[in-house]
Every structure is written in structure tokens, then in C-alpha cells.
Amino acid sequence: MTMKATLQAAISSGQINSKQELLERAEALGLTVTRNGRDYIGLLGPDGKRFRIRFAFAGGAFPTRPECSIDTGAVPVIRSRGYWIYALTAHSRNGERKACYIGQTVNLKRRFREHLRRHRPGHASFALFEWAVREQAEVRATVLSWVDGDQSYASRFEGYWLRLAVEAGFEAPDAHNWGRLPQPENPTGQPNRWPAMEVFAASLPLLELVERGITPVELFVASRTPL
């Protein structure tokens, strides 16, 4: 039985009941996720063959709170202060290249609208969108972490997540323009490597987020502690 048939059979039999479980099974089989659609994912096998797995899991394909198999500490509460750290990501159509923009904001909806509608050369995510156009790639957004603190404190976690992304193989177009961001001495509540499967499962198309007014829930929480 092919890997595609194996995964589709597991979905049909109820062995796989969510996109998160599907992504985890794909990772265990050594497959690389190349596409993340509304009702399908694209996969690349160790033999270089590509295929798609389709599904119709209960609860819909666009949850506003990502399903995570790990305890990240994030809870769906109203945030009255602090900053969100978020990622805009894009993957090439052949799955061989990926790029990202890491940012921070106090207002996710407004910031996502700005990214989508205000493209100025040399500013913010302009270079990422140029990269996505060249690669014919979709730009997706994920809220990585909530940081309980001021902008200076949040900048340390922005720098931390940018480092994790680069270490995971992401290109960061124009990141050199921002200089070397500081790093937290103790990245409390954060992963020690880029959580690829969790980020991919939680990501949503930026256009979809803006048009539907969705505010995703963060994957991780950084409580304020002395640095």
C-alpha cells in the first residue's frame, strides 16, 4: 500500500481525526509538508514523489485556536497589555525553499491588514511579499507567542523567534536591515527550536485572516520575568 493510500485509509477508519494528527503521522513517516490547504495537505516523500491527502475533519479547516499536541501555556483570554510575536511565512511550490517575516504588534488585526495592503520597498514585510510573488507562494500567518511586557522586552523575543526560524532553514528577506535584535537570556515559555508542525498546523492564509477578521490564538506565552 502506498503512503497516500495508508494515510487516506487511516482518515477513513477514524485512526486520524484532525489535521494535527495527520501532520504528526506524516512527520513520523518522514514526509515533508509542501502545501497546507483548506481540505488537503501536499506531501513530499523520501523518494521525491509528491501527493495530496484530502480530508473533512469535524470542526472545519480554519480553527481560530490551533490544535496542539503540546501544552504551550496559551489560553484564549483577552489581552489588555503586552505584545504578540507573529510570523508571516511562504513556501515555494516545490517545497524546497521557505521564507519568513517575524514581527511584533499590540493589535493583530490592524497589523495583518497593514501587511496585506501597505507594501513599501525596504519596509516591514515588503521583501517577503516580493519573494512570495517570485515563488508563486501563498503568504500565511501564525501567532507565535504572547509577551507580557513592554516593547523592549518583546523585541528580545522577536529576535529569539527570528533566530529559530533562520536555524530551521527559513530565508529572512531584508532582515539585515533591522540590525541584530537582542535575545532574552531566559526565553521563558518558549520552545528551544522552531516548532515546525505546530506552526504549520496553526497557520492561516493572510488574506483569509484579514477578510474574515480572524484573530488567531498564540501558540506560546512568555510571562514577564527579570532578564
Side-chain angles (χ1 to χ4, degrees):
M1 184 179 291
T2 64
M3 286 191 180
K4 177 176 181 177
T6 298
L7 290 172
Q8 290 289 181
I11 293 172
S12 299
S13 65
Q15 296 177 40
I16 296 177
N17 295 297
S18 69
K19 180 184 279 191
Q20 179 66 23
E21 291 181 4
L22 176 58
L23 291 169
E24 290 172 355
R25 182 72 66 87
E27 183 180 35
L29 292 172
L31 302 171
T32 300
V33 180
T34 60
R35 304 288 289 177
N36 188 3
R38 177 187 292 271
D39 58 358
Y40 75 92
I41 60 172
L43 296 169
L44 173 66
D47 57 0
K49 293 183 178 180
R50 302 173 186 277
F51 57 93
R52 290 187 177 187
I53 299 296
R54 297 193 176 277
F55 50 80
F57 297 124
F62 285 104
T64 55
R65 175 170 178 78
E67 298 177 0
C68 296
S69 60
I70 59 175
D71 181 8
T72 64
V75 291
V77 299
I78 297 175
R79 304 297 191 184
S80 59
R81 65 171 192 170
Y83 287 77
W84 280 283
I85 308 300
Y86 63 91
L88 301 181
T89 57
H91 291 72
S92 64
R93 295 177 68 86
N94 62 11
E96 295 178 355
R97 295 175 301 283
K98 53 189 177 181
C100 74
Y101 172 87
I102 306 296
Q104 60 172 278
T105 185
V106 296
N107 188 317
L108 285 169
K109 287 185 178 180
R110 181 180 64 197
R111 190 63 179 131
F112 287 156
R113 286 197 304 269
E114 290 173 349
H115 280 299
L116 191 62
R117 298 169 182 170
R118 297 182 183 178
H119 295 166
R120 293 186 296 164
H123 290 265
S125 58
F126 178 84
L128 173 66
F129 279 90
E130 289 287 286
W131 187 98
V133 169
R134 290 195 304 271
E135 297 289 343
Q136 298 182 318
E138 178 181 60
V139 175
R140 304 178 70 88
T142 308
V143 181
L144 301 171
S145 186
W146 165 259
V147 179
D148 181 15
D150 57 20
Q151 187 173 21
S152 175
Y153 187 64
S155 292
R156 297 173 182 266
F157 287 88
E158 180 182 353
Y160 180 76
W161 278 97
L162 177 59
R163 178 171 66 81
L164 293 186
V166 172
E167 289 176 351
F170 280 90
E171 298 177 38
D174 273 4
H176 60 278
N177 289 342
W178 325 134
R180 185 177 178 84
L181 292 173
Q183 302 276 317
E185 293 181 7
N186 178 22
T188 177
Q190 310 302 288
N192 57 17
R193 61 180 178 82
W194 182 262
M197 302 308 288
E198 288 85 356
V199 171
F200 202 87
S203 70
L204 295 172
L206 181 61
L207 179 62
E208 186 84 17
L209 284 177
V210 173
E211 289 185 343
R212 296 180 59 188
I214 297 173
T215 301
V217 174
E218 66 278 358
L219 291 174
F220 300 89
V221 171
S223 299
R224 187 166 180 79
T225 58
L227 294 177

